Amino acid sequence: MIPFNRPSLEGGELDNMFAAVAAGHIASSGPFSARVTESLRSALGASDVLLTSSCTDALELAALMLDLGPDDVVIVPSFTFVSTALAFARTGARIRFVDIEPETLGVDPERVAAALDHRVRAVVVVHYAGIGCDIDGVRAALADTPAVLVEDNAHGLFGTYRGSPLGSFGRFATLSFHETKNFVCGEGGALVLNDDEDIERAHVLLDKGTNRRSFLRGDVDHYSWVDTGSSFGMSDLLAAFLLAQLEAKDEVLRKRRAIFEKYSSLLEPYEEELGIRCMRVPDDRRPAYHMFYVLLPSRHLRDRVLESLTRAGIQAVFHYVPLHSSPAAARFSDAPAECPVTDDISSRLVRLPFYNALTPTDVEHVVDQFVQAVHTAMDIADA
Ligand SMILES: Cc1ncc(COP(=O)(O)O)c(C=O)c1O
């Protein structure tokens, strides 16, 4: 049995958790959180990084920072996880779904440009599979508008676009440390701030709408309720786990890159024969090596291949179901959307097992079984 994902220990995770307990601080904003924050802040060149209990929480915090209301619209790609839209829908803002580009599966800047009007307060982009979307295209579309760019960078920590880190372009960017991501602590996330002006208020909203941070700094003699917010902070126990994962960054990226390259080199030669397309990385982007996906020729074939792989003990999976046609879209979206690329890609995409401990032999076995499964599905379709 080869699972789709298996989180692994990369170094001192458990020792760090013991140390957090011994030090007597396991709630949020503890010493391990400070070290994780500093390591992410310097890697991304950010103004600040706030650790949260999930990427969903970080997106909700970004949405609260924008003080959105029912007259506002947020542009979101239809091909993404629910949270990218839900976090903004919860504020009362309407969601306007747009389509993606077939090459990177990131948002299509032309679709963004066509969807802009005076009601649009923010555009959320996703770096799908850890490959940067067309950031310059989106920034050009937003150039003469007040709309804020938000990067949902759940997949792309340490990936780059034209030499700069993913997560460094938006006024806000979010990260995920969920067990399925490259760097994990079970459930976790972060809000990256790229504008100094947002630092003070973001900390208030993170900490139940209170100015506790000013109190801890000694700026005020007691702390009070001063703004909206919630309890978004990450426990220092989880930050302790996460720190060890981030300290193993080079090794984790090396392992994941080797898996990615092995899948590519074994599967690309089959593209023509099987009518498949392996994921591609544009030359001006460095991937975060989050996943390896393949596009099959049709939904029917994709579904048969997934069934065959399950029977062979290999857990390959499909991914996002388009949000623009989801039941909640009728309630939260601004207007019906047409997203033909999303519909097409979503129906043909397969993600192959991908985790740090996957061995070269495992990858060879997955590829053998995958090729066999596609042949069998094609033979049945021809018969
Ligand atoms: C693009 C994207 N954004 C947000 C999330 C939510 O992340 P979390 O589980 O940390 O809330 C996911 C989850 O997989 C995701 O794929």
Side-chain angles (χ1 to χ4, degrees):
M1 166 74 191
I2 300 188
F4 174 66
N5 178 57
R6 180 184 288 151
S8 50
L9 296 173
E10 296 297 330
E13 289 88 345
L14 301 181
D15 289 344
N16 282 358
M17 289 178 92
F18 278 117
V21 176
H25 187 130
I26 56 173
S28 64
S29 308
F32 282 102
S33 299
R35 289 168 68 189
V36 170
T37 292
E38 187 41 37
S39 120
L40 291 171
R41 203 198 56 70
S42 68
L44 298 173
S47 296
D48 203 355
V49 174
L50 282 69
L51 299 183
T52 58
S53 345
S54 62
C55 182
T56 304
D57 263 6
L59 287 161
E60 289 190 6
L61 185 48
L64 282 185
M65 287 290 288
L66 292 171
D67 289 314
L68 300 167
D71 293 335
D72 299 323
V73 168
V74 177
I75 293 179
V76 175
S78 172
F79 189 69
T80 182
F81 191 67
V82 175
S83 306
T84 320
L86 173 63
F88 295 88
R90 272 166 57 88
T91 65
R94 311 301 296 174
I95 305 298
R96 196 169 285 169
F97 288 109
V98 293
D99 212 351
I100 52 167
E101 294 185 316
E103 188 72 9
T104 60
L105 314 193
V107 75
D108 181 340
E110 284 184 20
R111 308 301 343 133
V112 172
L116 283 168
D117 65 21
H118 68 283
R119 290 180 62 203
V120 175
R121 294 277 317 284
V123 175
V124 192
V125 301
V126 175
H127 304 302
Y128 184 71
I131 295 175
C133 71
D134 181 356
I135 288 277
D136 282 351
V138 174
R139 290 207 290 197
L142 299 188
D144 296 322
T145 80
V148 168
L149 177 66
V150 180
E151 295 174 78
D152 177 343
N153 194 24
H155 302 182
L157 179 58
F158 304 130
T160 64
Y161 172 86
R162 301 190 171 164
S164 299
L166 301 181
S168 65
F169 300 97
R171 177 167 147 196
F172 302 108
T174 62
L175 301 172
S176 175
F177 305 112
H178 181 262
E179 66 167 2
T180 50
K181 300 303 186 295
N182 293 12
F183 300 91
V184 305
C185 63
E187 298 273 1
L191 178 68
V192 178
L193 304 178
N194 289 317
D195 184 339
D196 291 352
E197 302 267 307
D198 287 322
I199 297 176
E200 267 322 301
R201 183 163 187 239
H203 280 276
V204 169
L205 271 53
L206 176 92
D207 208 352
K208 300 103 177 168
T210 71
N211 59 349
R212 199 168 73 100
R213 186 168 182 252
S214 307
F215 169 68
L216 294 175
R217 265 197 320 238
D219 297 347
V220 290
D221 60 8
H222 66 282
Y223 70 88
S224 353
W225 180 21
V226 295
D227 204 335
T228 185
S230 190
S231 180
F232 288 118
M234 175 190 281
S235 155
D236 220 47
L237 268 180
L238 295 183
F241 192 102
L242 182 56
L243 180 68
Q245 293 260 313
L246 291 172
E247 282 175 347
K249 169 192 161 191
D250 292 344
E251 184 58 7
V252 169
L253 289 177
R254 191 196 58 72
K255 289 186 214 170
R256 298 185 77 95
R257 178 178 177 169
I259 295 166
F260 183 95
E261 287 175 352
K262 184 133 188 111
Y263 270 133
S264 292
S265 67
L266 291 176
L267 277 167
E268 275 172 7
Y270 285 103
E271 285 195 324
E272 207 169 315
E273 181 190 336
L274 301 181
I276 61 173
R277 205 205 85 192
C278 296
M279 66 184 281
R280 306 224 193 289
V281 184
D283 290 342
D284 57 356
R285 292 161 225 197
R286 189 182 72 206
Y289 304 108
H290 176 51
M291 68 167 89
F292 192 85
Y293 70 77
V294 184
L295 298 175
L296 275 291
S298 69
R299 175 191 290 270
H300 180 69
L301 217 71
R302 191 272 309 265
D303 292 347
R304 281 190 171 280
V305 166
L306 286 181
E307 282 162 22
S308 303
L309 289 174
T310 305
R311 279 196 298 275
I314 293 169
Q315 200 186 15
V317 293
F318 57 88
H319 209 187
Y320 306 134
V321 178
L323 292 182
H324 73 283
S325 50
S326 64
R331 182 164 154 210
F332 294 116
S333 71
D334 171 51
E338 301 245 317
C339 300
V341 180
T342 297
D343 289 332
D344 174 49
I345 296 284
S346 164
S347 70
R348 300 192 288 116
L349 186 142
V350 168
R351 290 185 295 158
L352 298 175
F354 204 115
Y355 49 89
N356 301 351
L358 198 69
T359 66
T361 316
D362 291 335
V363 175
E364 282 161 20
H365 178 63
V366 172
V367 169
D368 281 350
Q369 293 298 316
F370 175 83
V371 170
Q372 215 174 298
V374 182
H375 272 137
T376 309
M378 286 165 74
D379 290 347
I380 293 170
D382 285 349

